[in-house]
Amino acid sequence: MPIRWLHLSDCHVGSQEYGAHKLFKETAAFVRQRRETTGWEPDLVFLTGDIAYSGQADQYEQAKAELLAPLDEALGGTLT
């Protein structure tokens, strides 16, 4: 049985150079579209690399609100 996974890396939340807002919205939209049209859901989600640009607490809160929560919603509330 295959294992399906989603790997996101080096989000650098808090750095505008990386276009984080657009990237997060497009990632969640892509995952939602794939799930709704093909039934694809990852068995594992890896978030590696630099999540926050400079390791500030507010950057991690931003990642939670702008990346993790929408991604969780796109996956039907299955992230833990």
Side-chain angles (χ1 to χ4, degrees):
M1 176 133 197
I3 295 175
R4 299 164 296 189
W5 51 275
L6 173 64
H7 180 210
L8 304 172
S9 183
D10 295 297
C11 297
H12 295 270
V13 173
S15 170
Q16 295 303 316
E17 290 90 21
Y18 287 89
H21 300 291
K22 183 176 180 182
L23 173 68
F24 298 159
K25 287 179 86 172
E26 290 182 9
T27 299
F30 173 79
V31 169
R32 177 178 287 108
Q33 182 269 338
R34 293 280 295 176
R35 181 173 178 258
E36 291 174 354
T37 60
T38 69
W40 175 87
E41 291 186 37
D43 298 302
L44 302 166
V45 177
F46 299 97
L47 183 57
T48 64
D50 299 322
I51 295 170
Y53 179 66
S54 60
Q56 302 299 313
D58 63 323
Q59 294 169 350
Y60 289 104
E61 288 299 318
Q62 182 182 353
K64 184 177 177 181
E66 295 181 13
L67 174 62
L68 296 179
L71 185 58
D72 184 46
E73 182 182 323
L75 289 168
T78 59
L79 291 179
T80 56

